[in-house]
Amino acid sequence: MKKTIVLVGIGEMGGVFARGFLRLGHHVYPVTRNQDLEAAAQEIPAPEAVLIAVGEKDLPQILEKLPDAWREKIVLLQNELLPADFAHLPQATVISVWFEKKPGMDYKVIIPSPCFGPKAALVRDALGHLDIPVRILASEEELLFELVVKNLYILTTNIAGLKTGGNVEELWSEHEDIARKVANDVIDLQESLTGKTFDREALISAMLRAFEGDPEHKCMGRSATARLERAMNHAREQDIDLPTLAQLASEMH
């Protein structure tokens, strides 16, 4: 019998992964974010993997309470991740999710989802049973680039969308100027947070491939305002100037 997969966080995205693991022949042990993780680890001390499927804002407190028995089995899928968020978990597997799942509708693939880490093949095989493509990465450097691409996509579309509304195709075809200004601020922030320098045009080209994967994707999700606030908080902590984001933030108040 295949080992159990622990699923922490039973939301829309966690449900998709659970279906994939079940089709692969694994038992799935669900843990809500309010359950005692240590007690759960006593019941399942040696899982095949521990998928942390809570939202971004709940991730830090979950990782703080992570049982030692699970630390080398973690799989992360949150948006707005950077390597510093999981540096204390060197065996973590990370997937940059490029499919969406909303209540009342099935998942929708945008582009293949890149994944890196010890459990990458397991994640690929599970999602493959649902026809969700996963691309396994070769290095931590590739993972960093892919995480920044995802952050660029989410922050640019959400934050620019506060001003423009519409979908990603309209954002680029009708509002490229504001989109590029927001994107450049976002890249400045990512470079400050990571201490790295990126090829801006390579990042923007990768973002545009995602636009092409789902041109009707709405720009402004329900988390857009919170994402802008988080970005401005990071900018203050890093002591960097993000003029376009600052202007948009002032217009929101």
Side-chain angles (χ1 to χ4, degrees):
M1 182 181 294
K2 292 186 176 180
K3 283 188 176 180
T4 297
I5 307 287
V6 174
L7 174 62
V8 181
I10 323 296
E12 295 289 330
M13 196 59 70
V16 175
F17 280 82
R19 284 163 61 186
F21 289 129
L22 289 168
R23 293 226 187 146
L24 204 54
H26 290 275
H27 291 284
V28 174
Y29 181 93
V31 179
T32 66
R33 63 187 172 196
N34 296 321
Q35 276 181 254
D36 184 333
L37 297 185
E38 288 291 348
Q42 289 176 15
E43 285 198 41
I44 311 290
E48 181 65 27
V50 179
L51 179 71
I52 309 296
V54 299
E56 297 97 286
K57 63 182 176 58
D58 296 315
L59 181 63
Q61 64 188 46
I62 293 292
L63 293 184
E64 279 178 19
K65 297 186 284 188
L66 207 58
D68 288 341
W70 289 355
R71 292 177 69 84
E72 295 185 357
K73 306 291 183 69
I74 296 303
V75 180
L76 300 175
L77 53 74
Q78 286 71 23
N79 291 323
E80 297 186 52
L81 277 180
L82 287 172
D85 298 315
F86 49 89
H88 61 302
L89 299 168
Q91 296 299 308
T93 296
V94 181
I95 179 169
S96 179
V97 172
W98 282 102
F99 60 91
E100 66 172 345
K101 174 68 176 75
K102 294 181 179 177
M105 58 176 278
D106 210 351
Y107 52 84
K108 180 180 183 179
V109 174
I110 300 173
I111 57 174
S113 296
C115 187
F116 179 76
K119 301 298 179 182
L122 172 69
V123 172
R124 176 200 61 199
D125 293 348
L127 293 180
H129 275 272
L130 305 177
D131 293 324
I132 297 174
V134 171
R135 179 165 57 90
I136 294 183
L137 304 174
S139 67
E140 292 179 358
E141 290 74 20
E142 287 186 12
L143 175 63
L144 172 60
F145 181 83
E146 295 295 344
L147 292 177
V148 172
V149 169
K150 185 66 183 296
N151 292 346
L152 178 64
Y153 174 93
I154 290 173
L155 292 172
T156 299
T157 57
N158 273 209
I159 293 171
L162 288 167
K163 187 173 185 68
T164 66
N167 60 42
V168 298
E169 182 179 49
E170 293 163 344
L171 175 64
W172 202 253
S173 65
E174 299 173 19
H175 308 284
E176 182 180 339
D177 182 55
I178 183 68
R180 278 192 178 273
K181 287 179 178 177
V182 170
N184 274 307
D185 273 9
V186 172
I187 295 170
D188 285 346
L189 179 58
Q190 298 296 299
E191 289 185 340
S192 183
L193 289 170
T194 61
K196 305 285 186 182
T197 302
F198 299 102
D199 180 335
R200 288 176 183 247
E201 286 307 311
L203 286 172
I204 289 175
S205 294
M207 179 178 72
L208 293 180
R209 284 195 292 275
F211 283 12
E212 292 165 2
D214 184 13
E216 295 183 4
H217 192 93
K218 295 296 184 187
C219 287
M220 193 183 68
R222 62 182 181 274
S223 303
T225 303
R227 292 192 199 285
L228 175 56
E229 289 176 1
R230 253 197 314 274
M232 293 310 299
N233 286 337
H234 285 314
R236 284 188 283 273
E237 292 165 3
Q238 297 290 313
D239 194 25
I240 59 172
D241 183 30
L242 304 178
T244 303
L245 267 59
Q247 176 63 34
L248 290 173
S250 70
E251 291 174 5
M252 293 298 107
H253 297 294

